[in-house]
Amino acid sequence: MNFMEKARPIGVFDSGIGGLTVVKRVAAALPNESIIYFGDTARVPYGPKSNNTVIEYGLEAASFLIDKKVKAIVVACNTVSSVAIPEIRKHFNVPVIEMIEPGVNAAIRASASKRIGVIGTLATINNAAYSKSILNKNPNAFVIEKACPLFVPLVEEGWIDHKVTELIAQEYLAALIEKEIDTLILGCTHYPVLTNVIKKIVGDKVTLVDSGVAAADTVRSELNRMGMETNSNGMGMIEFYVSDLPTTFSKVAQIFLEKEIREVIRVDLEVIQRLKEKIVG
Ligand code: DGL
């Protein structure tokens, strides 16, 4: 890979705003790399949608990023990661880093008892993406999964340390605590924002695994392995694209990124759909 190619940005996409928790981790792990982020805010949430729809949306987002000449794609959305990775890898000739495998590896490393809990959206849990991968790597592990669909709107509403969120978390997490897990995978972009509430409920003895942290590590090691790291010593730039109102995105972004975003560009879904037709068919 030549100097110019190495200077290309890393593409990151998500169903909406939650992927910014992953951007935060990738930017911290690779501060010199530039990032192009696409959030499909017009069609979020993906969690309750069918696999075919999620695959189609994933291919569209990846096409948009490829058109922006990214050198690698990070599928920051756990829902897309749980159903669309084979399709995305089939059509795009750049490294594709997803959330499931890095999260699973980190959880297996962290868990002494191999009793692992997984929380995610309905699609992620219904597809059993995490549990299949854990059991594939360690058939003796015990895995309990739970969909927590209300966490996404609660976080987007900014109800982070709210008593309602705590009550709902208690309800969702009761069955996992009962099964004496020692490790819990936060298998959704939004859940790291609720780390304090979740910790309070599951207690100190349960290790929380943030798939975004694990995926950022994988991005770094993949770029390194393939000789694709930028040669630049300057801070990387981050560009943000969304499919709906940029102002709403900017307002909520701070919850996830923990810093202000100045410019957000809106892209028409029709443009993205045409790119997908051109690149994927
Ligand atoms: N980004 C999604 C995920 O990580 C959560 C939001 C949604 O349902 O689209 O699964």
Side-chain angles (χ1 to χ4, degrees):
M1 202 174 224
N2 67 33
F3 186 82
M4 291 293 281
E5 285 168 332
K6 288 181 181 190
R8 287 181 182 178
I10 299 169
V12 181
F13 79 86
D14 177 46
S15 56
I17 199 158
L20 293 180
T21 55
V22 181
V23 168
K24 190 173 83 179
R25 301 305 187 179
V26 174
L30 296 157
N32 308 121
E33 298 288 347
S34 289
I35 294 173
I36 293 193
Y37 181 81
F38 171 69
D40 192 5
T41 48
R43 301 187 292 201
V44 71
Y46 287 3
K49 296 195 167 76
S50 72
N51 287 1
N52 283 347
T53 302
V54 173
I55 290 169
E56 183 68 16
Y57 292 175
L59 290 172
E60 287 172 10
S63 302
F64 172 74
L65 293 174
I66 288 294
D67 188 61
K68 292 275 175 212
K69 307 273 181 287
V70 298
K71 61 182 173 187
I73 292 177
V74 180
V75 181
C77 182
N78 289 259
T79 302
V80 180
S81 295
S82 68
V83 295
I85 298 306
E87 277 293 311
I88 295 175
R89 289 202 171 125
K90 189 165 99 192
H91 292 287
F92 302 97
N93 203 13
V94 296
V96 174
I97 292 101
E98 48 81 50
M99 295 291 116
I100 313 290
E101 173 117 12
V104 163
N105 289 338
I108 291 179
R109 269 197 312 271
S111 174
S113 66
K114 305 293 179 248
R115 299 183 69 80
I116 300 171
V118 183
I119 51 176
T121 65
L122 279 169
T124 301
I125 301 305
N126 287 345
N127 283 296
Y130 277 101
S131 57
K132 278 185 202 152
S133 173
I134 294 169
L135 294 171
N136 199 20
K137 287 172 196 284
N138 186 340
N140 297 321
F142 167 82
V143 189
I144 173 164
E145 298 192 282
K146 177 82 185 161
C148 305
L150 291 173
F151 280 170
V152 167
L154 285 168
V155 170
E156 291 194 5
E157 196 58 37
W159 289 16
I160 314 301
D161 288 316
H162 198 287
K163 57 180 185 307
V164 168
T165 310
E166 203 175 315
L167 276 176
I168 290 170
Q170 259 164 10
E171 188 74 28
Y172 279 148
L173 300 171
L176 285 80
I177 298 169
E178 204 176 293
K179 295 288 182 207
E180 296 182 341
I181 55 166
D182 75 348
T183 303
L184 177 62
I185 300 179
L186 308 179
C188 172
T189 47
H190 288 58
Y191 301 177
V193 179
L194 297 177
T195 295
N196 287 343
V197 180
I198 295 171
K199 254 196 190 143
K200 202 164 152 187
I201 291 162
V202 297
D204 285 345
K205 291 200 186 99
V206 176
T207 306
L208 302 188
V209 172
D210 178 344
S211 287
V213 174
D217 271 352
T218 306
V219 177
R220 187 176 40 201
S221 55
E222 270 300 280
L223 291 190
N224 181 276
R225 192 179 63 82
M226 300 181 78
M228 292 171 82
E229 286 165 315
T230 181
N231 295 113
S232 160
N233 296 319
M235 278 296 274
M237 306 278 285
I238 311 184
E239 281 175 35
F240 300 94
Y241 294 86
V242 292
S243 53
D244 209 333
L245 286 181
T247 43
T248 318
F249 181 86
S250 307
K251 253 188 247 155
V252 191
Q254 195 132 6
I255 300 177
F256 298 89
L257 201 58
E258 289 172 331
K259 67 177 189 200
E260 217 178 294
I261 295 181
R262 260 174 260 125
E263 200 190 0
V264 181
I265 302 162
R266 179 166 189 267
V267 267
D268 214 319
L269 276 177
E270 265 177 39
V271 172
I272 295 177
Q273 280 156 349
R274 272 203 297 275
L275 283 172
K276 188 244 154 191
E277 280 308 309
K278 197 174 102 187
I279 299 171
V280 176

